[in-house]
Amino acid sequence: MFEKSLYDLIRGLRTHKGTEKEYIADSIKECRKEIRTNDMDLKSTALMKLTYLEMFGHDMSWASFNVLEVMSSPKYRHKRTAYLAAVQSFRRDTEVLMLAENQLKKDVTSPTPTVISLPLGAIPHVINPSMANSLLSDLLPRLTHSHPSIRKKTVGTLYRLALVYPETLRPAWPKIKERLQDVNEDPSVTAAIVNVVCELGWRRPQDFLPLAPRLFDLLVEGGNNWMAIKLIKLFATLTPLEPRLIKKLLPPLTKIIRETSAMSLLYECINGIIQGGILEAVEGTADGEEVAKLCVGKLRGMMVIEGDANLKYVALLAFDKIVRSHSHLVSQQQDVILECIDDPDISIRMRALDLVVGMVNSENLTAIVGRLMRQLRNAPVASSTDDSPNDRGRRTGITPYAESDDSDAEESLRPHEQKSNHPPPLPEDYRINVIRRILEMCSRDTYANITDFEWYIDVLVQLVRVSPATKSTSAVEYDEDTDYSGDVGRGIGRELQNVAVRVKSVRSEAVDAAQSLVLVDRRDQMFPSSGNGGQGVLEYAGWLVGEYATYLTSPEGVMTSIMHPLSLNLSSRTLAVYLQSVPKVFASMSGNDQVSWTPERKTLMTLLMARIIHFLEPLSTHPSLEVQERAVEYLELMRLAAEAASGTATGGSHGDFTDPPLLLTQAIPALFSGAELNPVAPGAQRKVPIPEDLDLDTPINPNLHSLLANAELEAFETDEDDVYAAYSEPITSYTSHEPAHSVSASERLDAPTKEPSSYQNAVEEEYLDPDIIARRKAERRERYKDDPFYIDPEGDRGSGAVTPLGRIVREGNVGNVEADIDAIPIMDLDLENRGGDDIMRARSPRSPRRAAVRRVEIIGDETLGPREVDNAREDIVQPRLDRAKGKKSLLEVDSSGLGSLSLDDAGDDNAGRRLTKLDIERKEQEEAEMKKALQEVERLRLEMQRASERLEARGETTVVRKKKKKVRKVEVEDDGGGEVVGVEGEKEGEAAPLKKKKKKKAKVPDGDEDAAAGKHDDGDVMAVAKKKKKKRRLVALDEGAPAEM
Amino acid sequence: MINAVLVFNNAGQPRLTKFYTQLDTSVQQRLISEIFTLVANRPNSACNFLPLPPLLASSSKSSTPTTPHNDTPSLVTYRHYATLYFIIISTSTESPLALLDLIQVFVQALDGLFENVCELDLIFNFETLHATLGELIVGGVVVETQLDKVVEGVKAQGRVAKRPVNEGKGGLSLAGFGRGDGVWAGR
């Protein structure tokens, strides 16, 4: 039979164009056969081929046992293949892992350096805690191997061991430290150790402070940039713990910044200065000024260097880290940073976006949002088909293509220039990100940065149009548990709702926007032309048109749109909101008791109700319970109302006033009026005190049963009219007048200068669609028209005093003649809510210039008692955080186990304690003493042993051997434990002389020397066991510590 | 630490996959494909850092704007040489610019081993490719950054096979690999 080599396999793949799948299947079949033979060469070749195919996603887990077989081959070539196969194919659930342990142990202790390297490289990939425990003793001696390449690899391997089995560090750390302190150590090994220390460092920086002098020397010596970078990163975690380091570090760092030719090192120096808090520490001093200037200057230099996008990217990263602490430094660089928002490179844009969110203030908000909006509007929408050619086998799995032999695989690894430099269309997740960021920037601190809310509403409407399509919008699967952040449309909707509720002065504009979003005939115009983007906004727009139905300019149109057949395709959540809006809008249309109940009116109303009933009827069997329930409720209500309407006689056609049915004018509106809705702080509900006299145990009426029985009887007797009579009690109409607010003169004076000056129309035109701009202009004109102080040059309309009325009439709100005070564009001075609580927050102007511009009242969250924003928020944020924590990222290697392990040599209860020099010295002394004591014990033992041998030469061999073994064991334990656990070492030291005495006594030559020796052994063993126990308790104590840190 | 090292060609075919955590084969393939999609769309002038691919982004980049956890992979660095993309996925404890240098060392080491390395060399000698990486990185920790020591380490493991004689032309120089070379090749 002809056997393929790896070379043949690859050649074969390249020649079998179009039939790779079959070829691969055949090859794997061959491999299965080959791997079962007894020929090691054949097995190993098969393994190599399988490993190659594994790279393309072809499973080889079935061959794991064969991997072990080849691993045990004495030939290095075979071993290498097998180890590679193991690294690439072993997974957590690979069962043969247990069997591999012995082979790994064997190879780690091999005399050949190249063989040792193999398990060293493989162990990190396959390790689990139990394996780590047993491999540790074999790995530790490799730290002092004569070959530096073995030493450095062992360091890396031990780090991964420590990640799964933190106890590794107890015996390993002293040895690693010893290597690090050794000035004569190979620089490569030192660099590898620094790498590992840097990884360990951020978990428990306090443990590494004692090393600072040595690390500092290494940094100053320089030579290896990679190591220097790691050292700087490590120092950045140490400086917060040891402020004295800062003074020492500053000169070498500034020296490096000024002198190094390596950009990476320069950048990390700046980064280290920023992250290590050095900037803060030296603030105010002349040095500090200089350093800050130097850093920011260099960063700026990185941003403006022509053609190096990488530097731009990392500079943005660095700015992002200082923006919260040194916003003034960053805002000086605003010009270059803002440029990056429009960078053709998405990576840079993302960074800039993150940064800009931290930089935003009321001065630059409009400009920044304008830039982002322009981007969204002008870039082509990336359709999902765009990247399909690149979407290499996402579903089908990958087969190596057959490439013709003249493929470009022979091209040298030179830069190639064939790709176009066109910016790619904005990917969807970027769009979503931008929209979220805009919303975040604008809504920060309850809209503290917004000066012009009409502008904001226009931005929101424009955002809907540029929203990318969402994936799950089919009505059925859009369930309650859908993550609401998944759809930006809903985020936009929430903002619109928030503004409408909180900012009364623009409520009518917000409702206007909501109305235009809801109207079906404007849907093409308001939403993205393709896809279903932004549909989530309808849920909130639907709520707004219902809740603030009085502001609607065309309630009929809204009603028609809500009940349009298209609405049935909406998600059940939106549909439920729509259903709630139907009676609200209906109430606003029918509820006016000033309109005479003429035959026309009656027909109109009856028709409207018939349409509503027609719309609701099919929905009463909707699969969504929420929709169903609401549909059934309102269906009944409408039927009742329809009956009442048809039963009420109409007045004559001669203009006599006839009362409309009370059900329409009083009862239904009363369902939806009442208290004004206000935003409530999260957690406020909890603070409502329980009334002291609240007694939930006593029945309110002891003879409920008889009462119910009576009620049933009475029900039959009740006259229908009485039901209606019940409604006739005077109820405040939902259109009740708002208490007319008194407006102070000074505020009136402010009114004419409301026009914001913070934006320029020219800029707006770049990111708002023409229709929105047209509307804006019209509105602006309108606003001036309504302004009682504005003198209209044309002067062709009524006096300013009636304008609010006039406006409403003009816009054809059916017979709603009640002046809506809120529509008057004069700022309210809400006297009612001014008492104590900070329910209403009149925004204090930040700069005097803007104070003259506009003062907008934003309703803050309502809460009880003192405001504990943080506490209240925690309730809500907490579960989400937990979830995020629980979910581990794909490639993440969890190192949290390390956090609980103290490397602190003191090893006593206060784990976080910093070591003073004195402590170290004392400990070293103790250690030396203990070593001496141990040597003494050993010497005495040997003496004793010899003595016993002399005395009873025959028949003693077994006992002696046993004893020897135990002696060694005790030593190992002491070596390992004593250094790590200092205090225990002390105890051990005390114990040693005790033992010594015992042994001296035992030296008395008599017959039961045997038994005496045995007893001592027992004692030793017990001591060891005891110590072990203590050590474990210590770890447990340490584990408690991080919770407080 | 470094979470993964990947090499694939312009068509997205893997030439080297090394994950420093155990990951299902299918997930590995999905990740490669996601990264390829990201990288293939980038113009040459773009920077060498990728946004996180969806597979990684979903779990790590949560709604909290705080700095990413130090254990989570948060950095995808790549370099493009002729037909090959070299990618390193790492946590935030690594320095982005230094990783670019590391890729450079990796490629230079390969070039030293194969004398004008090209994609074909790496296809036919993928064991050597792995061995070279093994000299640079052990278990996600960088253990060596000196070019000569890496080459020496691989050579100690045995003769590096040359590509079959009739298999193609030579002439692979790394002389000018992309812009910005001189800027941070300060090593």
Side-chain angles (χ1 to χ4, degrees):
Chain A
M1 192 186 131
F2 171 69
E3 286 119 14
K4 271 188 262 177
S5 67
L6 176 66
Y7 173 72
D8 296 327
L9 174 80
I10 298 169
R11 286 303 301 257
L13 276 172
R14 291 158 71 87
T15 47
H16 283 73
K17 209 171 202 156
T19 56
E20 301 96 337
K21 268 197 183 137
E22 292 78 14
Y23 183 77
I24 289 171
D26 283 352
S27 302
I28 291 181
K29 219 183 270 168
E30 278 170 33
C31 287
R32 271 183 194 271
K33 248 185 243 153
E34 289 165 15
I35 216 163
R36 293 218 176 85
T37 59
N38 287 324
D39 182 352
M40 242 346 156
D41 281 326
L42 204 54
K43 267 177 189 283
S44 136
T45 311
L47 214 51
M48 181 122 76
K49 287 190 280 186
L50 286 173
T51 314
Y52 184 80
L53 291 174
E54 202 273 343
M55 182 161 68
F56 296 92
H58 298 280
D59 178 56
M60 64 171 287
S61 57
W62 52 269
S64 53
F65 187 74
N66 306 98
V67 172
L68 287 192
E69 281 180 338
V70 183
M71 222 185 241
S72 64
S73 158
K75 275 192 192 163
Y76 173 73
R77 198 162 45 81
H78 296 162
K79 269 189 197 301
R80 184 162 105 149
T81 308
Y83 270 106
L84 178 57
V87 165
Q88 298 298 97
S89 71
F90 280 12
R91 304 281 180 259
R92 266 188 206 91
D93 51 352
T94 303
E95 279 161 3
V96 297
L97 221 53
M98 302 284 285
L99 304 173
E101 203 173 299
N102 273 328
Q103 188 60 45
L104 289 171
K105 278 165 108 66
K106 205 176 140 208
D107 288 338
V108 165
T109 48
S110 153
T112 331
T114 43
V115 174
I116 303 176
S117 292
L118 293 177
L120 286 183
I123 286 170
H125 294 263
V126 297
I127 198 73
N128 61 38
S130 70
M131 245 171 112
N133 190 13
S134 87
L135 284 173
L136 185 56
S137 57
D138 296 301
L139 278 171
L140 283 179
R142 300 297 103 179
L143 272 178
T144 46
H145 194 271
S146 58
H147 228 277
S149 81
I150 299 299
R151 293 204 294 272
K152 73 187 180 201
K153 284 179 186 171
T154 309
V155 171
T157 310
L158 281 172
Y159 169 67
R160 289 303 295 266
L161 229 59
L163 286 183
V164 293
Y165 180 63
E167 284 295 300
T168 305
L169 288 177
R170 286 207 191 283
W173 176 240
K175 286 178 192 286
I176 295 176
K177 203 165 67 177
E178 198 181 303
R179 295 285 98 220
L180 180 62
Q181 301 280 16
D182 188 351
V183 220
N184 300 318
E185 180 55 281
D186 187 277
S188 290
V189 182
T190 312
I193 294 174
V194 168
N195 271 339
V196 168
V197 170
C198 178
E199 288 294 333
L200 292 170
W202 62 265
R203 275 266 177 217
R204 296 189 64 85
Q206 68 273 26
D207 292 345
F208 297 93
L209 275 176
L211 287 176
R214 169 67 176 153
L215 296 174
F216 186 78
D217 290 345
L218 285 173
L219 178 65
V220 178
E221 276 166 32
N224 182 340
N225 283 348
W226 177 277
M227 188 171 78
I229 287 171
K230 288 286 179 177
L231 284 170
I232 292 166
K233 277 185 170 280
L234 182 60
F235 274 122
T237 61
L238 294 184
T239 43
L241 296 173
E242 180 52 275
R244 281 175 296 176
L245 270 176
I246 291 173
K247 234 184 194 161
K248 246 191 134 190
L249 277 174
L250 207 51
L253 287 186
T254 38
K255 184 166 169 266
I256 294 175
I257 291 179
R258 291 216 169 89
E259 290 174 6
T260 185
S261 61
M263 234 6 156
S264 49
L265 187 54
L266 167 71
Y267 168 70
E268 290 301 337
C269 272
I270 298 172
N271 211 9
I273 288 178
I274 292 167
Q275 290 206 291
I278 297 179
L279 274 189
E280 281 97 332
V282 294
E283 210 158 29
T285 64
D287 264 4
E289 280 293 289
E290 203 186 322
V291 172
K293 250 190 212 152
L294 184 66
C295 290
V296 176
K298 288 277 178 189
L299 283 181
R300 189 186 168 91
M302 290 172 128
M303 302 275 288
V304 294
I305 279 186
E306 204 48 47
D308 199 330
N310 289 326
L311 296 181
K312 223 184 236 183
Y313 181 88
V314 292
L316 287 172
L317 272 183
F319 275 132
D320 197 31
K321 280 171 191 147
I322 41 177
V323 70
R324 302 212 190 250
S325 53
H326 295 75
S327 50
H328 62 284
L329 285 179
V330 179
S331 53
Q332 284 165 17
Q333 316 303 326
Q334 194 177 316
D335 50 340
V336 275
I337 293 170
L338 285 186
E339 281 307 308
C340 292
I341 290 185
D342 289 328
D343 200 276
D345 185 351
I346 290 283
S347 302
I348 290 182
R349 273 196 206 182
M350 295 268 224
R351 288 284 135 242
L353 192 57
D354 286 347
L355 179 55
V356 147
V357 171
M359 281 169 46
V360 81
N361 58 36
S362 53
E363 314 266 315
N364 58 18
L365 177 77
T366 7
I368 291 174
V369 172
R371 257 174 198 272
L372 292 172
M373 298 284 293
R374 196 180 323 129
Q375 222 177 74
L376 288 176
R377 184 163 166 253
N378 297 343
V381 180
S383 71
S384 50
T385 50
D386 273 0
D387 45 29
S388 58
N390 293 325
D391 195 7
R392 183 191 57 109
R394 185 166 287 186
R395 266 158 224 92
T396 53
I398 304 129
T399 40
Y401 301 146
E403 293 152 301
S404 57
D405 269 353
D406 58 336
S407 77
D408 55 5
E410 282 155 34
E411 194 186 328
S412 71
L413 301 187
R414 258 183 243 269
H416 79 149
E417 303 287 343
Q418 60 239 43
K419 255 190 295 170
S420 74
N421 275 326
H422 282 305
L426 293 182
E428 263 178 29
D429 51 345
Y430 176 74
R431 271 176 185 274
I432 292 173
N433 205 3
V434 170
I435 295 176
R436 287 226 185 97
R437 295 299 191 167
I438 291 178
L439 298 181
E440 188 189 333
M441 279 188 276
C442 293
S443 62
R444 172 165 310 160
D445 302 330
T446 328
Y447 306 107
N449 290 329
I450 293 192
T451 47
D452 179 3
F453 277 93
E454 282 139 54
W455 166 82
Y456 187 41
I457 290 170
D458 289 335
V459 165
L460 290 177
V461 170
Q462 179 73 45
L463 281 180
V464 172
R465 285 187 212 185
V466 294
S467 296
T470 46
K471 270 136 211 156
S472 67
T473 27
S474 89
V476 191
E477 63 193 70
Y478 207 143
D479 257 344
E480 255 52 45
D481 57 337
T482 316
D483 188 9
Y484 111 85
S485 60
D487 182 4
V488 281
R490 307 192 61 210
I492 300 168
R494 271 180 73 90
E495 282 303 301
L496 197 59
Q497 184 185 41
N498 236 337
V499 169
V501 172
R502 286 181 195 269
V503 191
K504 276 189 182 175
S505 56
V506 291
R507 191 171 286 167
S508 68
E509 283 83 356
V511 175
D512 253 9
Q515 172 180 293
S516 51
L517 288 168
V518 168
L519 288 177
V520 168
D521 49 348
R522 294 191 63 185
R523 192 146 299 174
D524 296 341
Q525 196 189 344
M526 300 303 288
F527 287 90
S529 47
S530 64
N532 56 1
Q535 299 274 321
V537 78
L538 286 178
E539 183 185 333
Y540 296 91
W543 182 86
L544 279 175
V545 292
E547 184 61 28
Y548 299 114
T550 37
Y551 292 84
L552 291 178
T553 49
S554 111
E556 295 89 355
V558 169
M559 201 61 152
T560 315
S561 296
I562 287 180
M563 297 194 298
H564 197 276
L566 277 178
S567 297
L568 298 178
N569 300 334
L570 293 169
S571 70
S572 58
R573 198 203 289 247
T574 310
L575 195 53
V577 174
Y578 268 29
L579 278 179
Q580 194 80 27
S581 294
V582 168
K584 287 181 180 173
V585 179
F586 172 74
S588 82
M589 290 165 75
S590 66
N592 194 332
D593 55 3
Q594 306 300 311
V595 181
S596 175
W597 189 245
T598 57
E600 296 83 51
R601 177 88 176 152
K602 181 178 174 179
T603 322
L604 204 70
M605 288 299 131
T606 318
L607 205 64
L608 189 57
M609 282 183 278
R611 275 171 60 202
I612 294 174
I613 290 169
H614 178 72
F615 171 66
L616 292 177
E617 257 169 355
L619 287 177
S620 60
T621 54
H622 194 274
S624 160
L625 282 182
E626 187 67 27
V627 173
Q628 195 184 102
E629 191 186 353
R630 292 187 190 192
V632 170
E633 280 173 5
Y634 294 129
L635 188 59
E636 289 310 310
L637 186 67
M638 282 302 144
R639 282 183 177 147
L640 204 63
E643 214 173 295
S646 62
T648 310
T650 57
S653 47
H654 308 298
D656 313 337
F657 188 82
T658 318
D659 282 330
L662 282 173
L663 189 65
L664 291 185
T665 56
Q666 299 283 323
I668 293 181
L671 287 177
F672 306 110
S673 63
E676 169 98 345
L677 282 172
N678 277 326
V680 176
Q685 182 75 39
R686 267 188 324 157
K687 291 183 186 162
V688 176
I690 299 171
E692 273 173 31
D693 54 344
L694 181 69
D695 182 7
L696 293 174
D697 298 326
T698 333
I700 295 168
N701 192 328
N703 44 358
L704 180 69
H705 273 291
S706 59
L707 213 70
L708 284 177
N710 283 344
E712 248 164 52
L713 279 176
E714 279 166 14
F716 291 106
E717 294 159 12
T718 320
D719 192 2
E720 220 176 87
D721 287 341
D722 288 348
V723 179
Y724 293 132
Y727 290 120
S728 64
E729 288 162 31
I731 305 164
T732 33
S733 156
Y734 83 110
T735 49
S736 69
H737 300 258
E738 290 283 318
H741 306 297
S742 53
V743 179
S744 78
S746 67
E747 300 217 342
R748 273 173 186 279
L749 280 176
D750 284 344
T753 53
K754 271 192 292 91
E755 186 59 23
S757 60
S758 55
Y759 56 81
Q760 279 134 23
N761 293 344
V763 180
E764 250 171 44
E765 268 149 23
E766 284 181 53
Y767 59 85
L768 292 177
D769 280 347
D771 60 318
I772 295 183
I773 292 170
R775 191 166 51 73
R776 272 182 83 65
K777 280 185 181 152
E779 269 171 14
R780 231 169 274 152
R781 262 202 309 277
E782 191 89 337
R783 198 163 43 230
Y784 274 116
K785 242 190 280 178
D786 287 348
D787 197 318
F789 299 96
Y790 183 71
I791 300 166
D792 187 11
E794 295 161 41
D796 59 347
R797 35 173 225 101
S799 86
V802 293
T803 43
L805 256 178
R807 176 179 176 179
I808 291 160
V809 169
R810 240 192 349 269
E811 282 163 5
N813 200 350
V814 180
N816 193 351
V817 277
E818 273 142 4
D820 194 344
I821 306 293
D822 279 349
I824 302 174
I826 293 173
M827 282 324 306
D828 295 344
L829 183 66
D830 200 337
L831 289 174
E832 262 192 341
N833 290 316
R834 274 227 171 145
D837 309 38
D838 52 346
I839 291 170
M840 306 295 255
R841 185 170 65 85
R843 234 154 44 96
S844 55
R846 233 177 252 170
S847 66
R849 185 178 63 76
R850 218 163 359 98
V853 170
R854 192 174 176 99
R855 201 180 296 156
V856 183
E857 186 174 54
I858 305 162
I859 305 175
D861 286 338
E862 255 179 39
T863 187
L864 286 170
R867 199 163 248 237
E868 301 161 43
V869 175
D870 286 349
N871 274 351
R873 285 283 144 84
E874 253 169 38
D875 300 345
I876 296 184
V877 174
Q878 206 69 48
R880 230 206 275 154
L881 273 181
D882 282 350
R883 204 180 52 191
K885 240 186 209 168
K887 215 159 63 175
K888 220 177 90 177
S889 179
L890 254 191
L891 287 167
E892 181 170 335
V893 182
D894 188 20
S895 69
S896 53
L898 290 175
S900 56
L901 186 98
S902 169
L903 292 177
D904 198 332
D905 292 340
D908 51 7
D909 290 358
N910 44 349
R913 197 167 61 98
R914 228 182 288 149
L915 280 183
T916 61
K917 216 170 185 182
L918 210 82
D919 279 352
I920 300 171
E921 274 170 16
R922 189 167 51 89
K923 210 155 359 80
E924 272 166 8
Q925 220 175 326
E926 279 166 15
E927 269 169 34
E929 269 173 25
M930 199 180 63
K931 237 181 209 164
K932 234 192 258 166
L934 281 170
Q935 275 167 0
E936 183 73 1
V937 170
E938 171 73 346
R939 195 178 56 79
L940 286 169
R941 252 182 219 200
L942 285 173
E943 248 175 56
M944 205 166 67
Q945 206 174 297
R946 254 173 257 135
S948 73
E949 273 168 9
R950 241 180 286 130
L951 278 174
E952 293 178 51
R954 282 141 283 128
E956 289 289 352
T957 34
T958 45
V959 177
V960 170
R961 202 185 299 140
K962 188 179 152 205
K963 204 156 76 180
K964 255 187 191 162
K965 206 168 156 193
K966 275 184 182 158
V967 168
R968 207 185 306 135
K969 191 175 168 198
V970 170
E971 262 173 13
V972 168
E973 280 297 337
D974 283 346
D975 255 358
E979 281 178 56
V980 177
V981 221
V983 171
E984 274 166 39
E986 208 171 14
K987 279 180 193 155
E988 194 67 23
E990 283 166 15
L994 225 122
K995 265 188 251 159
K996 208 158 48 180
K997 267 182 226 155
K998 261 191 197 165
K999 260 152 226 173
K1000 268 177 193 155
K1001 224 188 265 168
K1003 236 166 101 184
V1004 183
D1006 64 21
D1008 43 27
E1009 161 69 35
D1010 236 355
K1015 220 157 75 190
H1016 290 153
D1017 283 347
D1018 282 353
D1020 286 348
V1021 172
M1022 258 164 66
V1024 170
K1026 217 165 118 195
K1027 198 159 62 129
K1028 266 193 179 159
K1029 217 193 237 163
K1030 213 186 284 167
K1031 217 191 280 175
R1032 210 159 293 146
R1033 207 192 55 216
L1034 221 124
V1035 175
L1037 280 170
D1038 284 347
E1039 273 163 8
E1044 298 150 29
M1045 293 190 328
Chain B
M1 63 177 287
I2 289 166
N3 300 93
V5 178
L6 306 171
V7 178
F8 45 70
N9 70 1
N10 287 345
Q13 296 201 13
R15 294 297 174 225
L16 168 91
T17 57
K18 183 74 92 185
F19 294 89
Y20 292 99
T21 31
Q22 292 170 339
L23 213 58
D24 268 351
T25 312
S26 59
V27 183
Q28 289 182 357
Q29 296 296 329
R30 256 181 71 200
L31 193 64
I32 295 170
S33 132
E34 281 187 2
I35 292 179
F36 174 69
T37 312
L38 284 175
V39 94
N41 280 331
R42 293 177 71 78
N44 275 336
S45 60
C47 70
N48 293 30
F49 308 102
L50 291 179
L52 282 181
L55 259 181
L56 296 178
S58 57
S59 40
S60 71
K61 207 173 66 182
S62 59
S63 51
T64 48
T66 51
T67 46
H69 194 254
N70 276 347
D71 274 342
T72 18
S74 58
L75 202 59
V76 184
T77 314
Y78 79 96
R79 270 189 113 149
H80 191 196
Y81 295 94
T83 59
L84 291 178
Y85 287 101
F86 288 73
I87 283 115
I88 291 183
I89 305 174
S90 70
T91 63
S92 59
T93 52
E94 300 292 340
S95 161
L97 293 177
L99 286 179
L100 287 174
D101 286 346
L102 188 69
I103 297 179
Q104 174 69 12
V105 171
F106 185 29
V107 176
Q108 275 179 348
L110 292 173
D111 196 47
L113 288 164
F114 290 106
E115 291 161 22
N116 287 343
V117 67
C118 75
E119 190 183 345
L120 271 187
D121 291 319
L122 306 186
I123 297 173
F124 286 110
N125 296 292
F126 86 117
E127 255 192 314
T128 311
L129 185 58
H130 278 282
T132 314
L133 185 61
E135 290 296 313
L136 277 169
I137 302 170
V138 170
V141 178
V142 177
V143 294
E144 186 57 83
T145 51
Q146 314 284 335
L147 183 59
D148 45 344
K149 292 213 172 155
V150 175
V151 175
E152 191 185 301
V154 180
K155 282 188 173 157
Q157 294 180 24
R159 201 176 55 88
V160 175
K162 290 275 170 279
R163 135 180 48 125
V165 189
N166 58 345
E167 195 61 49
K169 51 191 192 200
L172 313 199
S173 89
L174 288 160
F177 41 82
R179 83 246 119 58
D181 164 29
V183 182
W184 57 69
R187 165 158 299 129

